[in-house]
């Protein structure tokens, strides 16, 4: 049976999201920004929390784990390379590992850069990716613990997912990301179409995600650092893509 998802806001601008296997009743929370909105989402859907799949150690992704685990006795799965910095972990995973939620199976993709051990979860049968703070719609996470080359390589792994794969990210930053992206590629038609779509969604009080990898490849400058036109417009013609990526990320940090 196809996976079901339920998306909801947490904290100031975090997303919470549940993935549910209707066959077994298993449900995972991707990260746990805070317990109360996750509990409210479970009450609303009638789903039972069996697992928490953690993408990275930051408090705004993990601080609800203790309370949720105490209440639901759920399993906590976390990235092997930073599990020591996350409380209440039951299982650690790394590149290529499979994590099951009932009959649903996710492949673990290591996507370091925002943090040194950040991972993403991809459910190939349902083409759903949960990418934490690595990829945002029309943006990407700040490079905090890694370096630009590492982050670019992580984004390339996510860019290689199927075009029709949908991804869920950790924050609602899309509108602000679009304002910046237009300074990098003002003439990008896909970006301008996404801007119009996001304006409508925001006006209607709706979330701007999930988005598809294919649409993102066309509009997100952080996935386009190997585009010759962009390199040229930034004065970096012929430079390696990761250097172009680094420049775009630097400009965003100052924007
Ligand atoms: Zn983070």
């Amino acid at each position: 049976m196809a996976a079901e998802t339920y998306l909801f806001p947490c904290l100031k601008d975090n997303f919470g999201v549940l993935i549910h296997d209707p066959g077994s009743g298993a449900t995972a929370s991707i990260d746990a920004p805070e317990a109360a909105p996750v509990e409210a989402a479970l009450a609303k859907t009638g789903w039972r929390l069996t697992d928490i799949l953690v993408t990275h150690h930051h408090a705004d992704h993990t601080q609800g784990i203790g309370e949720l685990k105490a209440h639901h006795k759920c399993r906590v799965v976390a990235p092997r390379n930073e599990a020591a910095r996350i409380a209440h972990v039951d299982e650690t995973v790394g590149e290529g590992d499979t994590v099951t939620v009932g009959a649903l199976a996710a492949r673990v993709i290591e996507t370091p850069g925002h943090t040194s051990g950040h991972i993403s979860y991809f459910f190939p049968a349902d083409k759903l990716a949960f990418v934490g703070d690595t990829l945002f719609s029309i943006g990407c996470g700040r490079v905090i613990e890694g370096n630009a080359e590492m982050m670019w390589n992580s984004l390339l792994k996510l860019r290689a997912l199927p075009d029709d794969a949908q991804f869920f990210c950790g924050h609602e930053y899309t509108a602000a990301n679009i304002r910046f992206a237009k300074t990098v590629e003002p003439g990008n038609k896909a970006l301008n179409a996404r801007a119009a779509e996001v304006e409508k969604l925001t006006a209607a009080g709706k979330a701007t995600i999930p988005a598809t990898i294919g649409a993102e490849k066309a509009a997100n400058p952080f996935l386009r650092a190997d585009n010759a036109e962009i390199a040229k417009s930034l004065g970096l013609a012929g430079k390696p893509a990761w250097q172009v990526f680094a420049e775009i990320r630097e400009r965003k940090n100052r924007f």
Side-chain angles (χ1 to χ4, degrees):
M1 284 169 95
E4 294 173 28
T5 57
Y6 184 80
L7 180 72
F8 49 97
C10 289
L11 300 171
K12 183 167 155 272
D13 51 29
N14 280 72
F15 282 121
V17 60
L18 302 177
I19 179 165
H20 176 70
D21 171 27
S24 65
T27 304
S29 176
I30 309 299
D31 292 329
E34 53 178 340
V38 176
E39 295 287 12
L42 291 165
K44 178 137 198 209
T45 53
W47 297 346
R48 182 176 52 90
L49 189 68
T50 50
D51 306 277
I52 298 174
L53 309 185
V54 182
T55 62
H56 67 296
H57 71 85
H58 285 160
D60 65 324
H61 293 254
T62 57
Q63 62 198 4
I65 293 173
E67 200 177 326
L68 290 168
K69 188 174 178 179
H71 184 192
H72 299 279
K73 314 285 179 241
C74 51
R75 174 184 66 148
V76 178
V77 179
R80 183 170 299 135
N81 293 338
E82 56 188 54
R85 293 190 278 175
I86 302 166
H88 314 290
V89 172
D90 298 305
E91 279 181 45
T92 65
V93 291
E95 182 75 24
D97 286 346
T98 296
V99 178
T100 56
V101 178
L104 310 176
R107 177 162 56 87
V108 174
I109 305 171
E110 290 186 351
T111 49
H114 176 69
T115 63
S116 60
H118 192 298
I119 59 174
S120 299
Y121 298 88
F122 179 57
F123 292 78
D126 292 284
K127 294 188 182 174
L128 296 172
F130 298 90
V131 302
D133 287 357
T134 298
L135 175 65
F136 295 128
S137 184
I138 318 298
C140 75
R142 280 179 187 267
V143 182
I144 299 173
E145 294 176 7
N147 57 45
E149 188 168 14
M150 184 188 283
M151 188 68 162
W152 170 244
N153 286 325
S154 293
L155 290 171
L156 284 180
K157 286 177 165 181
L158 298 178
R159 194 178 74 171
L161 295 175
D163 277 352
D164 59 348
Q166 293 184 299
F167 72 93
F168 291 80
C169 54
H171 291 270
E172 178 59 275
Y173 290 158
T174 314
N177 287 340
I178 287 171
R179 285 194 288 281
F180 169 73
K182 283 179 167 179
T183 69
V184 179
E185 261 195 311
N188 182 323
K189 287 196 178 74
L191 173 60
N192 290 326
R194 177 68 171 141
E197 178 187 45
V198 164
E199 217 164 279
K200 271 189 204 153
L201 289 168
T202 307
K206 291 182 177 160
T208 63
I209 66 157
T212 67
I213 294 292
E216 207 64 24
K217 276 154 77 168
N220 184 334
F222 294 99
L223 294 184
R224 297 169 57 75
D226 52 357
N227 176 298
E229 291 300 313
I230 293 181
K232 198 173 148 200
S233 76
L234 298 176
L236 295 169
K239 296 288 185 199
W242 72 265
Q243 285 182 23
V244 179
F245 167 79
E247 173 65 19
I248 301 172
R249 189 56 257 182
E250 265 308 305
R251 288 182 183 216
K252 175 69 166 67
N253 292 347
R254 294 193 302 263
F255 183 68

